[in-house]
Amino acid sequence: MDWQLLDLLQRDGRMTFAELAKRVSLSAPATTERVRRLEQAGVITGYAAVVAPHRLGLPIEAIVRVRVRSLDTPRFRERVVTAPQVLDADHVTGDDCWLLRVVCRTMAGLEEFVELAQRYGDTTTSLVFSSAARNRPVTRELFGNP
Amino acid sequence: MDWQLLDLLQRDGRMTFAELAKRVSLSAPATTERVRRLEQAGVITGYAAVVAPHRLGLPIEAIVRVRVRSLDTPRFRERVVTAPQVLDADHVTGDDCWLLRVVCRTMAGLEEFVELAQRYGDTTTSLVFSSAARNRPVTRELFGNP
DNA sequence: GTTGAAAGCAGGAGGGT
DNA sequence: ACCCTCCTGCTTTCAAC
């Protein structure tokens, strides 16, 4: 039941509680209550409009892997991770300590960003051709397998 | 003005148009009209609830890079990219043709997934320690630099 | 772009299982 | 604990301007 709500809200975050209630065959107050519980439990952390950067004049998307020298990590977080180009920043295991997803208006802009990142470690940059999936909803199916 | 709306909606996708109107000092119908335009122009592609996988019993998040053999790409898209574990899938330039963000319930589950991906090419897997940024809003600031 | 009226929605109180 | 029905105040939407 909660999975159904999560699925609907991940696909359309602006669906009204009345509509949501219809879809799950519950009354509106009961539905509202369940969603509030999911929010307070930290399962739902927020709602967001999904934007297409390329429609906003940001045609370039890239993944920049950075092997940050550990002493430089605090400054890297301050000066690189917080740059507006950075949409996602993950600290990961392995040789490339950080993975950044960035968007840029021009190649020159990307170059400038990569040069900034280079100050804190070696980088490897991959341009994104296309995204076959983006922010796919988390579903109950994930519990079929181990 | 549209940037202001985009910013507000990316941070709180469920904000009412009435509230939105107050924030941008416009009437509600004018605000609704502007948002509809942004939607139809493809700038806003949807709205989504943001969910925390680790609160749903999916404590493991990983980035799997896959160097897919080109002849296997169609099958890779069908059988790997569409797996429910895959939240993001990007086709990129460089040696690692694909970057997948996956979530799993257990290490065994991740292992199983990586073995599936291995059938289509060599993989490199990084576990995510933490995410310093996730789906950060696209802002007007991006147009200060080139 | 604005206003104003009608329909629909959200959030609370109270009661039933 | 969970759900339902009613009621009041907002929100949305459509019209006219």
Side-chain angles (χ1 to χ4, degrees):
Chain A
M1 169 106 293
D2 283 342
W3 278 109
Q4 233 178 119
L5 292 171
L6 281 174
D7 201 58
L8 290 164
L9 283 173
Q10 284 181 97
R11 290 180 207 280
D12 179 5
R14 278 189 81 85
M15 189 177 291
T16 64
F17 290 120
E19 179 66 20
L20 216 49
K22 255 185 267 177
R23 305 280 185 100
V24 300
S25 308
L26 235 61
S27 71
T31 305
T32 308
E33 188 57 25
R34 275 176 180 273
V35 175
R36 293 280 173 264
R37 272 183 199 291
L38 289 169
E39 289 169 354
Q40 289 184 347
V43 173
I44 295 175
T45 60
Y47 300 88
V50 180
V51 157
H54 72 273
R55 295 279 188 167
L56 279 166
L58 297 159
I60 296 163
E61 192 169 333
I63 308 291
V64 181
R65 312 205 305 258
V66 194
R67 184 167 189 163
V68 181
R69 291 175 295 272
S70 59
L71 281 172
D72 290 335
T73 299
R75 263 161 302 173
F76 176 80
R77 296 183 88 114
E78 263 175 49
R79 307 203 191 153
V80 180
V81 171
T82 60
Q85 289 92 342
V86 177
L87 267 31
D88 292 332
D90 298 300
H91 185 200
V92 299
T93 63
D95 285 345
D96 302 303
C97 329
W98 287 84
L99 285 174
L100 312 177
R101 174 188 302 271
V102 303
V103 290
C104 285
R105 203 160 61 80
T106 61
M107 270 298 187
L110 179 59
E111 185 177 19
E112 194 179 283
F113 175 83
V114 172
E115 280 166 2
L116 170 69
Q118 292 263 26
R119 296 194 53 207
Y120 303 94
D122 291 337
T123 64
T124 308
T125 303
S126 304
L127 287 169
V128 176
F129 285 131
S130 64
S131 298
R134 277 294 294 176
N135 269 98
R136 166 117 39 83
V138 177
T139 64
R140 184 176 204 171
E141 298 172 59
L142 276 161
F143 291 82
N145 310 340
Chain B
M1 169 105 293
D2 283 343
W3 277 109
Q4 231 177 122
L5 292 172
L6 281 173
D7 200 58
L8 290 164
L9 283 173
Q10 284 181 97
R11 291 178 207 281
D12 179 5
R14 276 187 85 84
M15 188 177 290
T16 64
F17 289 122
E19 179 66 21
L20 216 50
K22 256 183 265 176
R23 305 281 186 99
V24 299
S25 307
L26 235 61
S27 69
T31 304
T32 307
E33 186 59 23
R34 275 175 179 275
V35 175
R36 294 279 173 263
R37 274 183 201 290
L38 289 169
E39 289 169 356
Q40 289 184 346
V43 173
I44 295 175
T45 60
Y47 300 88
V50 181
V51 157
H54 71 273
R55 295 281 188 169
L56 279 165
L58 297 159
I60 296 163
E61 192 169 335
I63 307 291
V64 181
R65 311 205 304 259
V66 193
R67 185 168 188 163
V68 181
R69 291 176 295 270
S70 59
L71 281 173
D72 290 336
T73 299
R75 264 161 300 174
F76 176 80
R77 296 183 90 113
E78 264 174 47
R79 308 201 191 154
V80 180
V81 172
T82 60
Q85 288 92 342
V86 176
L87 267 32
D88 292 333
D90 298 301
H91 185 200
V92 299
T93 63
D95 284 346
D96 302 303
C97 330
W98 286 84
L99 286 175
L100 311 177
R101 175 188 300 271
V102 302
V103 290
C104 285
R105 203 160 59 80
T106 62
M107 270 298 186
L110 179 58
E111 186 177 17
E112 194 179 282
F113 175 84
V114 172
E115 280 166 1
L116 170 68
Q118 292 263 26
R119 296 195 52 207
Y120 304 94
D122 291 337
T123 63
T124 307
T125 302
S126 303
L127 287 169
V128 175
F129 286 131
S130 65
S131 298
R134 273 309 307 249
N135 270 98
R136 165 115 43 80
V138 176
T139 65
R140 185 176 204 170
E141 299 173 59
L142 276 161
F143 291 82
N145 309 340

